[in-house]
Amino acid sequence: MLALDDAGQRIIRHGTSYVLEAAEERVDAFRFRAICAQANSTSHGGEFERAIGLLRDALSLWRGPAIQDITSPTLNAEKSAWEEAKLRAVERLVTLEFARGHHSVMIPDLHAWARQYPYHEKLHCHLAEALHIGSRTAESLQVLARLRATLRDELGIDAGQEVHELESRLTGRPGELTAPVDVPVNLQAVEALQRALTETTRALQLLQILTG
């Protein structure tokens, strides 16, 4: 039945076995790669909304881990490469959405990605930042606390500098790796500083997109 399909695929004999030959546009992985390349080109041209749509189309092609349920030392490197490509697309999408001020829109996606990648500090920081900007700072701090506990309990390591700095910014305490000490703070000044830092972050992200 596959051999009768004239839409870019065929079955051929290869030694004592058979091989399915398929055009790249029939393979999700290759379609994903092509759409991501188109999204990068589009964003460099300043069409950010179109690039966002393309990246969402590319990520929608994923229905589980790459090369799932296949045990093959030969394919392990390929599996890692495709997973890294997916993460790059996710991070690019978050950068574009945040630069457009769409933090709240990204919260459901970021929750899902944080569950999928429980050790990925940057994704958890993105989720915490989006929650904070949506006036959900308590939930934001819980995200970072769970991440630190997961890294400590399951991997025996401490969270990185980015996590500590974001946690310090959200609590209004000076950034440091040791346990923070409660000090009197001017809440209005802290909130004004947090708003300024958020706007600066958006501007830097947009500049990064424009300069490639």
Side-chain angles (χ1 to χ4, degrees):
M1 291 178 66
L2 287 173
L4 293 174
D5 189 333
D6 60 356
Q9 65 186 31
R10 63 176 182 153
I11 297 287
I12 63 171
R13 184 181 294 277
H14 183 73
T16 58
S17 304
Y18 291 93
V19 173
L20 170 64
E21 286 188 343
E24 287 200 358
E25 61 268 19
R26 299 295 301 273
V27 181
D28 286 346
F30 298 135
R31 290 173 60 202
F32 167 80
R33 184 171 62 189
I35 296 172
C36 285
Q38 186 181 359
N40 287 337
S41 176
T42 300
S43 67
H44 290 158
E47 299 179 70
F48 303 130
E49 292 295 343
R50 182 161 177 256
I52 287 171
L54 287 168
L55 286 170
R56 288 197 175 278
D57 288 343
L59 290 169
S60 71
L61 295 171
W62 285 77
R63 297 173 178 84
I67 316 178
Q68 189 173 10
D69 299 328
I70 295 178
T71 302
S72 167
T74 304
L75 293 176
N76 281 341
E78 282 291 313
K79 177 176 181 177
S80 298
W82 283 113
E83 290 289 350
E84 285 298 321
K86 179 186 179 182
L87 275 173
R88 285 196 299 272
V90 166
E91 291 173 0
R92 184 69 170 170
L93 175 61
V94 174
T95 298
L96 285 167
E97 291 278 26
F98 276 21
R100 305 294 283 174
H102 301 163
H103 294 78
S104 296
V105 171
M106 293 303 298
I107 290 176
D109 288 326
L110 286 166
H111 269 301
W113 291 326
R115 287 192 297 270
Q116 187 176 358
Y117 301 101
Y119 309 130
H120 198 293
E121 296 183 27
K122 196 171 189 67
L123 284 177
H124 284 77
C125 285
H126 285 321
L127 173 58
E129 184 178 358
L131 288 167
H132 167 66
I133 291 174
S135 300
R136 297 163 65 179
T137 304
E139 294 176 59
S140 174
L141 291 171
Q142 288 175 352
V143 167
L144 297 179
R146 283 196 298 269
L147 171 63
R148 293 180 66 174
T150 298
L151 294 175
R152 181 184 63 248
D153 297 342
E154 298 184 13
L155 301 182
I157 62 174
D158 192 16
Q161 185 69 28
E162 184 177 3
V163 175
H164 287 281
E165 289 177 353
L166 178 57
E167 209 167 31
S168 298
R169 175 155 63 90
L170 295 179
T171 58
R173 298 189 178 104
E176 53 185 11
L177 293 179
T178 56
V181 179
D182 289 329
V183 295
V185 294
N186 184 322
L187 294 180
Q188 290 183 335
V190 169
E191 291 173 356
L193 177 59
Q194 289 173 345
R195 286 195 297 271
L197 286 170
T198 298
E199 292 302 319
T200 300
T201 300
R202 290 179 183 172
L204 289 173
Q205 290 171 337
L206 183 57
L207 179 62
Q208 181 185 19
I209 294 169
L210 291 172
T211 58

